[in-house]
Structure formats: C-alpha cells, structure tokens
Amino acid sequence: MPVISWLHELCSPTCCLGAPSSPPHPPADSDAKKDEGPPPADNEVAVITHRTVDANGLRMHVAEAGPPGAPPVLLLHGFPQVWYAWRHQMRALADAGYRAVAPDLRGYGDSDAPAAELQYTAMHVVGDLVALLDAVVGAGKPVFVVAHDWGALTAWNLCLFRPDRVRALVSLSVAFTPRSPARRPVDGLRALYGDDYYICRIQEPGAIEAEFARLGTELVLRKFLAYRTPGPLMMPKSGWGSPDDEVPLPSWITEEDIKYYASKFDKTSFTGGLNYYRALNKTWELTAPWTGAEIKVPVKFIVGDLDLTYHTPGIQDFIHKGGFKKYVPLLDDVVVMKGVGHFINEEKPKEVSEHVISFIRKLSAEM
C-alpha cells in the first residue's frame, strides 16, 4: 500500500545482515523456471521465467521476460505485492523488444527476509538493487527503471545514490520530495494524522501482524487492493474490521490473482514488507548527506487522480507548481490518469505499459 510521496515534505517547517528467515533457494545458476503465476490472457503470450540470484548477501527471486540481450527494464513493486504486480507490463515490454526484470524485493515473496526491522533501510534495499543489476545485467551497466509505491521510493533513492545505474525512471504514484532536516517522517505523520494512521500503526513489531492474522491474508489483501478513498488510510486500534467483512474485488483483479498474492504472504508473512515502514526514521537519519540533492536522471511521473497519495496536503501544488521540477530538473512529463486509484499498473495495465514503452523509446532515440 502507498508510502506517502510527500513524506519528507510533510516533515519540513513549510510543508550486518542477519540470517535469512526464508528457506534456502536453489543455486543461483539453476535453470530458469516457467511462469509460476496464473496463466496469461490470450493476448499476453510472452513467457515469464524465474530464477534466484545472489545479491548483497541475499538470495533474490527474479522474474524475467524478453530476449536476454535486449535493453533491460527493472521493475520494482510496492506493498502488499510481489513481482506479480508487473505481469502485464512484463509481457508488454517483452513483446516490444525489451527485457523485463522484476525482483521480489527483500522481505517479499521468494526472496530472503532478514529478521531485523532496521535491515530494511534505503541503504540496504538500494544495495540489493545494485548487486542484483551487477548479477543480472552486468557490472556498471545502467538500466531503465519503472517503479510503484515502495518500489518508487526505493527507485528515487537509487537515482540519488547511484544515478550512474539509471538511464531513466518512470515513477508510478509516488513523487520525489526532498528530505527535510526538521522532523523524522513517522513523527510528522503521527502529528498530522494520529496514532491510527496506518504507517503509525505499523511501527510496533508484531501488533499489526496480529491484526492481519485475525483478519486473514486474503481479506487483508482485498482491503488494501480495493481501497479507493482519496484520503488517509486508518487502522483503528479497536480493529481494522471483522474477519466476516465482504470486500468486493475491483474489476482489474481476479480471485486467482488474490490467491496468488496470498500464497506468497502466507509463506513469508507481511513482516518483511512492514519492516520498510519501520525503517523509515532510520533511513531519514542515514540520508542526511543527501539533503537538498536533486534527481539527475530523466523522469516520467504517472499518478491516478483517485490515488490517496495525490490527495495529501500540498502534494498537488508541489507536483504541478514547480516544486517537483525544481528537485527533478529532467522531469519530462507528469500524467494524471482520470478515475484511477493507487494500484495503477494493475488497474490500467495497457495504458501504463504504453506510457512506459513510449518514454523508453523516446529516450533511446535521443541517446
């Protein structure tokens, strides 16, 4: 679910890896497996394969599609998702002649999940990506990056820390906002929304996991994926609903999709994904040297007008009235999709794929 894109702006006055908890994986050089998810639609013919690679001390699961020698496109998922969030874009990219590379980020799916909350800072996760790119694409080679939600926040940090590894970025839902030295992010969110705001509720290890266990994995996923209220997500301490709640699925996600996601979170639990939120304040501390830094890669930003991240205080002015462009000087385009919620790459797969491919082709022609 969305990490708020204005996290750092909100906090301004103005506005040793542990032992992995997941089971061992097959050797990194094992033969690739065919797509393990639900079968593709008739018009999605590109085959998705799977393998495990060593990266930054972890075993990371990677899904791939497209010719091995084609220009690579790194796809970074958010919460509560895995590589599967990109299934439509992967096949579209492969059909367009690109090589789609979609990992399960640390703590998710079939990748390793370090136990400690503070092993999920931006430094850790960006380190994973650099090592993954070295293993899958080649040392020092830059790639196109497409990212959503927590994946987008990670991608912005990848652009800050290692712009040499990013040819261009398409960010979905989460805009870059500068780090503020004034207040830690979680403290700012608690001051604005209170203790029941979902990011604040997540902070106590074990508490929200117990609530999710009470509700059941599939219902938790339904509640997140079907959320379309353009306002803050609250999880009252009195309970986030009942296990008997009926949450109809939106038209863009199927029961089969939910079961696939649930199979991964039943295996790993939600803790790995929740630990990204728990490391927010630590990331803020570690990124002090980048206060005031700009993003120096070409960027396209796409957001739905019903996305709750697009309806937080000050974000629309920041995006449309010069603040975004100030800190992302190579911002090429901002697209606001009408009637679209947060999980934009799944809700509007064809349109998002077309935006991504046209942007990549345009930049490739200019390079």
Side-chain angles (χ1 to χ4, degrees), residues 23 93 110 131 135 142-143 146-147 150-151 154 159 171 206 214 223 262 274-275 282 284-285 322 341-342 350 366:
L93 284 163
D110 294 315
V143 298
V146 184
W150 261 105
T154 299
C159 293
S171 179
R214 182 181 71 85
K223 282 176 171 283
L274 297 172
N275 282 341
K282 189 63 177 179
W284 176 83
E285 294 174 11
H342 179 70
K350 183 175 183 291
E366 295 173 354

Side-chain angles (χ1 to χ4, degrees), residues 79 94 105 137 147 178 213 224 282 286 288 303 310 314:
F79 178 88
L105 299 178
V137 177
F224 276 122
K282 189 63 177 179
L286 295 173
V303 67
Y310 192 60

